Every structure is written in structure tokens, then in C-alpha cells.
Amino acid sequence: MAEMNNNPRGGGNERGGNDRRGAGNDRRGNTNEQSRTGDSDLKEKVVAINRVAKVVKGGRRFSFSAIVVVGDGNGTVGYGLGKANEVTDAIAKGIDDAKKNLVKVPLYKHTVPHVMEGKYSGGFVLVQPAAAGTGVIAGGAMRAVFESAGIKDVLAKSKGSSNPHNVVKATFDALLKMRDPMQIAQARGITLAQVFNG
């Protein structure tokens, strides 16, 4: 790939207009949703794109890594990482990786069932349920996960690393530790109201 810009963090376009970072996606965790048909209604959200410069004999060689979250909006969600010499190829690889790692998270009235903390490496997040109409109160990386999973009302706070990779994995850690209130009610032989009210 030709090196046309020696500035490793510059805003120049090294690939003749194929750079998709200008379409509302930046390194601060803002998401850019791309919908693709034929994938059982899975929607993709690009959480972050990182440009990596490798110094070689002829100069710098650029490659890209993209972390992508996919979900059906009904409790099924997954994340993946793609690396390639082009942004579009990195995103496509990330989507394929995410579809291989889909998980089911419990939902209760479009929110999470209970308070939970998640941790991965330096990432530490706190997730708690919210009343209907609250919306998704969360940062960019966590917001992509919640919206893909179909969570419409939630309060979340990232208390650790702001690295989107760690934040996304910590959010998944919190969601996977959630317990389904319906299963708890059946296991204990009580009503759903007693599960929440004691």
C-alpha cells in the first residue's frame, strides 16, 4: 500500500477516499451503524477504528483495526475485532468475528434485571436498571453494546480504562453475569414480584 502521508495521526486520506472515519466515527467511541440485509436482522455498530503505523525500510506502512458490535435488538449480541490494510476490510472481518461470538443476555422490560459490575483488564463498568423512558445513559462503547442488545433504559458508568476494547469486554462481562429473573422465580417457586420485592 502506498504511503502518501507521513503524518501518522493526520487527517489525510491515504487510500483515495475509502477512509470511513469521516462518516461520523472517531476514536472517542462515537458509533457509526451500518445495516446489512440477509444476516437475520443483525445490525452492526462500529465502536472504534484504530490506525497502526509500522515503520519499514521504505517509510511507514499503515494498517487498521476495528472493533465491531453486532446484535438483533432482542438480547442477542456479540463483539469482534478485525485487522486489515483497508478500513472496509477491517470492519468486515470484525463483523464476521462478532457473528461467531454471539451471546444471549437477559432482559427485563427493556432494561437489565439488576445491578451488576463488570471488569476486564483495566476496564471497570457499573450497570444498573432504569425506569421506562430513561434511555441509554452510557458512554460511546457501552452505548453500542446496549443498543445492539435491545436495552432501551439503563444507567451505566465506566470507572476504569477508557480503552474501547476494555470497556466493551467489561460491559459484556457485566451482562453475562446477569441472572434471568424468570429462571430465578421458577427455581425458587415464587412469583416474579417476590423476586424483586422480597
Side-chain angles (χ1 to χ4, degrees):
M1 187 172 79
E3 295 86 9
M4 298 177 65
N5 183 1
N6 289 328
N7 185 359
R9 300 178 74 89
N13 191 342
E14 295 83 19
R15 294 166 319 287
N18 289 331
D19 192 349
R20 300 187 61 172
R21 288 175 296 167
N25 194 335
D26 61 21
R27 292 166 56 96
R28 297 186 184 275
N30 293 334
T31 57
N32 181 15
E33 182 177 355
Q34 291 110 27
S35 297
R36 301 190 180 192
T37 58
D39 290 325
S40 66
D41 297 330
L42 289 176
K43 294 183 179 179
E44 302 90 22
K45 288 181 180 291
V46 179
V47 177
I49 297 177
N50 188 33
R51 184 173 70 177
V52 181
K54 179 181 180 181
V55 179
V56 295
K57 184 176 181 181
R60 290 186 180 92
R61 179 166 297 168
F62 295 106
S63 62
F64 298 88
S65 65
I67 182 167
V68 184
V69 175
V70 302
D72 64 353
N74 194 28
T76 301
V77 66
Y79 72 92
L81 176 65
K83 298 180 181 180
N85 292 332
E86 298 288 339
V87 175
T88 52
D89 294 338
I91 294 173
K93 288 183 178 180
I95 292 171
D96 292 339
D97 187 34
K99 290 177 180 177
K100 296 175 183 177
N101 300 304
L102 292 174
V103 295
K104 187 74 174 178
V105 298
L107 301 179
Y108 179 71
K109 294 182 179 179
H110 301 294
T111 186
V112 292
H114 54 85
V115 178
M116 183 55 68
E117 295 177 345
K119 189 175 187 307
Y120 182 87
S121 186
F124 181 75
V125 301
L126 172 65
V127 181
Q128 58 187 19
T134 303
V136 178
I137 310 299
M142 287 187 291
R143 178 180 294 271
V145 177
F146 293 140
E147 290 179 349
S148 297
I151 299 173
K152 297 180 181 178
D153 304 295
V154 66
L155 299 171
K157 179 66 177 176
S158 175
K159 297 184 175 182
S161 169
S162 61
N163 185 327
H165 295 264
N166 289 339
V167 173
V168 167
K169 292 173 183 177
T171 304
F172 269 86
D173 179 60
L175 292 176
L176 290 175
K177 289 191 292 186
M178 296 278 183
R179 299 183 66 187
D180 189 352
M182 294 295 294
Q183 294 180 356
I184 294 176
Q186 292 176 358
R188 296 180 182 178
I190 58 178
T191 64
L192 196 60
Q194 289 176 308
V195 173
F196 291 101
N197 299 326

